[in-house]
Amino acid sequence: MGYALYLAQAGDKHLNAKPLKGLGPGVLEIVSDHSGDTYRAIYTLRLAGRVYVLHAFQKKSKRGIATPRAELDLLKQRLKRAIELQAAKED
């Protein structure tokens, strides 16, 4: 995941980075499996070329590959805050 975020900072995209549905364009997800567990990191590039890591977590849902509702709600809050921070920097 660290290398994928490094590539994002350098303006490139890791092969495993994919758009996260439901949060709009420019929000990407990296999925990594390790020792039988799945981990996800979600970041955005849509804010003036900056990389904002919105959340990283271990996937524990028993209902398929969908991102749990609580995680999506947290992501939406953090994306909103990142947008606010970016707007404040531009003023």
Side-chain angles (χ1 to χ4, degrees):
M1 285 188 185
Y3 183 64
L5 291 171
Y6 165 77
L7 288 176
Q9 290 175 324
D12 205 354
K13 181 180 158 197
H14 193 275
L15 293 174
N16 292 340
K18 61 181 182 176
L20 181 66
K21 296 177 184 172
L23 292 179
V27 178
L28 300 164
E29 171 183 48
I30 306 162
V31 179
S32 179
D33 293 319
H34 179 71
S35 297
D37 294 319
T38 300
Y39 299 88
R40 293 181 177 191
I42 291 84
Y43 64 97
T44 185
L45 296 172
R46 71 181 186 195
L47 301 172
R50 290 189 168 91
V51 176
Y52 285 86
V53 177
L54 302 174
H55 193 30
F57 60 99
Q58 180 180 2
K59 175 98 169 47
K60 295 183 178 182
S61 175
K62 304 294 186 225
R63 293 178 281 148
I65 63 170
T67 304
R69 171 62 41 201
E71 303 294 350
L72 285 174
D73 291 342
L74 181 61
L75 283 165
K76 288 176 185 176
Q77 290 174 358
R78 290 182 176 174
L79 179 60
K80 180 181 175 186
R81 182 65 180 137
I83 292 168
E84 291 169 354
L85 287 171
Q86 185 63 35
K89 287 181 181 182
E90 293 174 358
D91 288 341

